[in-house]
Amino acid sequence: MNKILATVFLALSFQSYAGPYAKEANENPFLDGELNPKYEGELAALSGNIVKIIALPNGSSLYKLNLNMDGIKPIWVTNIGSFSEGKITKNSNVIFRGYIASADNLDESGQIRAKTGSETLLLSIKVDSVK
């Protein structure tokens, strides 16, 4: 139910910022269990629980988010700046809102892709706790 609400919120909140694939991305942003690289730059909202956190040398973090959806692998999330909501810890239930991003375009050194093993991740601009 939270995933449906997050998708509806996404469609209503960010409609004016939608890119060329927004409708397709809102209907199904996944390919082979991960975020679809075709939708890089499109807005998305993902809800789940944090199963792993990796600190990066630049002070930001990578969060592995389990969406608890059949056929969907845990999705990696990183953030722009720091979150004002407080500390995110393992097992936190959260909703991340942000942009689908390519790991290689975020980090030309390949460090993010090497640490996550994923081609895509969510570049989060906002996070909310799920009660």
Side-chain angles (χ1 to χ4, degrees):
M1 181 66 172
N2 285 338
K3 288 158 209 59
I4 293 169
L5 291 174
T7 302
V8 169
F9 177 83
L10 169 72
L12 296 175
S13 297
F14 297 118
Q15 193 169 14
S16 63
Y17 299 106
Y21 299 111
K23 185 177 185 317
E24 292 175 40
N26 281 330
E27 289 173 6
N28 184 7
F30 304 105
L31 176 68
D32 298 328
E34 296 187 26
L35 289 171
N36 189 336
K38 174 182 176 180
Y39 303 133
E40 182 177 12
E42 296 294 346
L43 289 158
L46 301 174
S47 173
N49 62 298
I50 304 294
V51 294
K52 186 173 184 178
I53 300 172
I54 299 174
L56 295 174
N58 66 2
S60 62
S61 297
L62 293 167
Y63 304 96
K64 191 173 189 178
L65 183 69
N66 184 0
L67 279 56
N68 300 306
M69 296 173 64
D70 290 336
I72 305 299
K73 301 172 188 172
I75 302 296
W76 286 95
V77 179
T78 193
N79 57 307
I80 299 173
S82 61
F83 295 124
S84 60
E85 266 61 7
K87 188 167 174 81
I88 298 173
T89 60
K90 191 173 173 187
N91 299 319
S92 295
N93 289 313
V94 295
I95 299 172
F96 285 108
R97 291 174 181 82
Y99 296 92
I100 297 172
S102 161
D104 293 337
N105 286 340
L106 288 179
D107 172 36
E108 292 178 358
S109 74
Q111 190 177 139
I112 290 177
R113 189 172 188 157
K115 288 183 181 291
T116 64
S118 181
E119 180 181 349
T120 57
L121 63 156
L122 187 74
L123 180 58
S124 180
I125 56 175
K126 185 169 181 4
V127 65
D128 292 306
S129 293
V130 176
K131 304 291 183 209

